[in-house]
Amino acid sequence: MGGLSVSAPTRVSRATGDSLQARPRPSNITCKILMAVTGLIFAAFVLVHMIGNLKVYTGADHFDDYAHWLRTVFEPFLPYEGLLWILRIVLLASLVAHVWCAWLLTVRGRRARGKFRRKGLGIKSFTARTMPVTGAVLLLFVIFHILDLTTGTRPIGSSEYEAATRTQSYAYDNLIASFERPLVAAFYIVAMALLAMHLAHGLWSAVNDLGVTGQRLRRIGVALSGIFALVVMVGNMSIPIAVMTGAISKTGAS
């Protein structure tokens, strides 16, 4: 929501009759910083998550071992799935803060604009103007993704879903079974395209809102944001495409 101008409502002082500006709480600057920080947390997560998912190309054994390792890492210092739950709590808190601040800034922006709407913004502002839409779709995708590959909840999860045990993970077979469904694979691909749009603008806005100034640095920020978004999109899209084309499959597992 970088560059959003929001006017605070006015109130009149009974003592002097002067018009005073009522400061919104939290302030718009606070909201922007919170969105920037939580956005960077999400960006780091999707990159690491993509790298982990790409291990599917190393075969079933390696991928399942990796998924099992995530549940047992740092034992006995942490309990079983301890690290995963820490990450889930951090991501959930970040999600609540990110969505809440986005909602506040959107509402304040609409109040400030009133009935007037800016026109002729062009294609350059397309990703900025569609941030609320891509964000909402991505939120739905996250819920779908959890029900599909984390909990295997029917009817969203595959009928072949098998939950992990203390000694074994079935992440490879679960992933293949999920993406063998054309509609699920297509939804995943579309979601990754929207994620790239959201990341490209969101990362640039985060860098801007955290105080990076200067024309050269801003150009570098735009370029790096786009490259990051493209890498994440291509890497994640390649997996359902590989499943649908048979490049990776249960029968072809190594």
Side-chain angles (χ1 to χ4, degrees), residues 103-169:
W103 177 78
L104 283 178
L105 290 172
T106 300
V107 170
R108 291 171 183 175
R110 287 177 178 174
R111 286 175 180 171
R113 288 193 305 268
K115 63 181 180 179
F116 300 101
R117 295 291 182 268
R118 295 178 65 185
K119 298 180 180 180
L121 295 175
I123 190 65
K124 290 184 178 180
S125 67
F126 178 74
T127 54
R129 289 183 284 116
T130 56
M131 286 294 277
V133 176
T134 56
V137 175
L138 289 173
L139 179 59
L140 294 175
F141 170 75
V142 168
I143 296 172
F144 180 93
H145 189 59
I146 291 172
L147 295 175
D148 180 24
L149 291 175
T150 301
T151 64
T153 304
R154 297 283 293 155
I156 292 177
S158 167
S159 59
E160 301 176 41
Y161 179 87
E162 193 168 357
T165 67
R166 285 271 183 171
T167 59
Q168 180 63 42
S169 172

Side-chain angles (χ1 to χ4, degrees), residues 2-250:
L4 182 63
S5 175
V6 182
S7 299
T10 60
R11 56 188 174 89
V12 177
S13 170
R14 293 183 179 179
T16 64
D18 296 332
S19 178
L20 302 176
Q21 289 289 336
R23 295 182 178 180
R25 291 290 184 271
S27 69
N28 296 330
I29 293 177
T30 300
C31 287
K32 285 175 176 290
I33 292 176
L34 273 175
M35 289 193 69
V37 172
T38 54
L40 292 175
I41 291 174
F42 291 136
F45 172 76
V46 297
L47 178 63
V48 173
H49 188 55
M50 179 204 70
I51 293 172
N53 284 341
L54 290 177
K55 291 182 181 293
V56 72
Y57 290 112
T58 64
D61 290 340
H62 290 289
F63 192 65
D64 288 341
D65 286 345
Y66 168 71
H68 180 67
W69 173 81
L70 288 175
R71 291 176 166 81
T72 60
V73 64
F74 297 136
E75 282 189 328
F77 178 74
L78 291 178
Y80 180 74
E81 291 192 338
L83 179 63
L84 287 179
W85 277 107
I86 291 174
L87 291 174
R88 288 164 182 166
I89 292 171
V90 171
L91 289 171
L92 179 59
S94 298
L95 178 63
V96 171
H98 197 84
V99 172
W100 179 52
C101 288
W103 177 78
L104 283 178
L105 290 172
T106 300
V107 170
R108 291 171 183 175
R110 287 177 178 174
R111 286 175 180 171
R113 288 193 305 268
K115 63 181 180 179
F116 300 101
R117 295 291 182 268
R118 295 178 65 185
K119 298 180 180 180
L121 295 175
I123 190 65
K124 290 184 178 180
S125 67
F126 178 74
T127 54
R129 289 183 284 116
T130 56
M131 286 294 277
V133 176
T134 56
V137 175
L138 289 173
L139 179 59
L140 294 175
F141 170 75
V142 168
I143 296 172
F144 180 93
H145 189 59
I146 291 172
L147 295 175
D148 180 24
L149 291 175
T150 301
T151 64
T153 304
R154 297 283 293 155
I156 292 177
S158 167
S159 59
E160 301 176 41
Y161 179 87
E162 193 168 357
T165 67
R166 285 271 183 171
T167 59
Q168 180 63 42
S169 172
Y170 305 96
Y172 185 93
D173 286 348
N174 289 339
L175 183 145
I176 300 298
S178 177
F179 289 152
E180 283 179 338
R181 298 173 295 172
L183 287 179
V184 172
F187 179 44
Y188 191 90
I189 291 171
V190 171
M192 291 306 101
L194 296 180
L195 175 62
M197 292 172 54
H198 203 83
L199 278 173
H201 180 76
L203 287 174
W204 177 85
S205 296
V207 171
N208 187 58
D209 291 338
L210 289 177
V212 175
T213 58
Q215 188 174 5
R216 179 177 298 178
L217 288 176
R218 288 166 70 88
R219 286 200 297 265
I220 293 174
V222 170
L224 291 179
S225 298
I227 292 171
F228 185 97
L230 182 63
V231 168
V232 171
M233 181 184 73
V234 172
N236 282 327
M237 277 186 177
S238 73
I239 299 174
I241 292 174
V243 173
M244 288 190 295
T245 57
I248 55 175
S249 63
K250 292 180 182 179

